Amino acid sequence: MFSTSSGRNNGNGQPYSTIRDYSDSESDVDDVEDDFIQREIRQQRLMMKQQDEGLEMLGQSAERLSKISMGIHEELGHQNKMLNEMEEDLDTAATNLSMVTIKTKELIQKSGGKRNFIIIVILSLVVVVLLFLILYS
């Protein structure tokens, strides 16, 4: 376009140009750069959208975990209350059992001690054996 020939050639039979036209090549470079920038912007927007979707999913997961953990907390509270009630009932039963044991020991002492208790148990076994013999003979 703006090229002029000095009468010499470049070895390929084409004349050297002393003034070169860079306007077309610069606009091509500008177009390529603009396309590259636009592609990069689109890719960044796509990545940001994907990250936003990932963050949204992460937020939903955190919300679900929060609800689950609150449910577990409530359930543990109920079970802890039940365990405390059971412990109280067990303490009461243990106290009652120790009182019955003490009264039984007192009764055994009043009735003649272990010797009389053993005689009663042996006589009871003799009665059971005799009944067995009477019924099956």
Side-chain angles (χ1 to χ4, degrees):
M1 301 206 148
F2 293 108
S3 60
T4 58
S5 173
S6 62
R8 296 182 290 172
N9 62 28
N10 63 4
N12 294 332
Q14 299 177 356
Y16 283 114
S17 62
T18 54
I19 302 175
R20 296 187 181 217
D21 184 11
Y22 292 105
S23 62
D24 285 340
S25 64
E26 285 178 11
S27 67
D28 288 344
V29 170
D30 288 342
D31 288 344
V32 169
E33 287 177 359
D34 287 342
D35 288 344
F36 174 76
I37 292 171
Q38 291 300 320
R39 277 195 312 271
E40 289 298 314
I41 290 172
R42 280 193 301 273
Q43 286 178 347
Q44 288 178 356
R45 285 183 181 157
L46 179 63
M47 286 176 59
M48 287 175 53
K49 183 179 177 184
Q50 290 172 344
Q51 289 173 349
D52 287 343
E53 290 170 356
L55 287 174
E56 181 70 27
M57 288 174 40
L58 184 63
Q60 291 171 351
S61 296
E63 188 175 327
R64 282 193 306 269
L65 284 175
S66 173
K67 289 178 182 177
I68 290 170
S69 65
M70 291 303 293
I72 289 171
H73 174 72
E74 289 176 14
E75 183 66 27
L76 286 175
H78 292 304
Q79 289 183 5
N80 194 24
K81 183 179 176 183
M82 288 171 36
L83 285 172
N84 288 337
E85 291 172 357
M86 194 165 89
E87 183 180 11
E88 291 172 6
D89 291 344
L90 185 61
D91 288 342
T92 303
T95 303
N96 290 339
L97 182 61
S98 79
M99 283 193 288
V100 168
T101 304
I102 290 170
K103 288 185 180 184
T104 304
K105 285 180 181 179
E106 289 174 1
L107 181 64
I108 291 172
Q109 290 297 326
K110 286 181 184 177
S111 67
K114 290 183 181 178
R115 189 189 68 172
N116 286 342
F117 181 73
I118 291 173
I119 291 171
I120 292 171
V121 170
I122 291 173
L123 288 174
S124 298
L125 287 173
V126 169
V127 169
V128 169
V129 169
L130 288 174
L131 280 173
F132 179 75
L133 290 172
I134 291 172
L135 292 175
Y136 290 105
S137 57

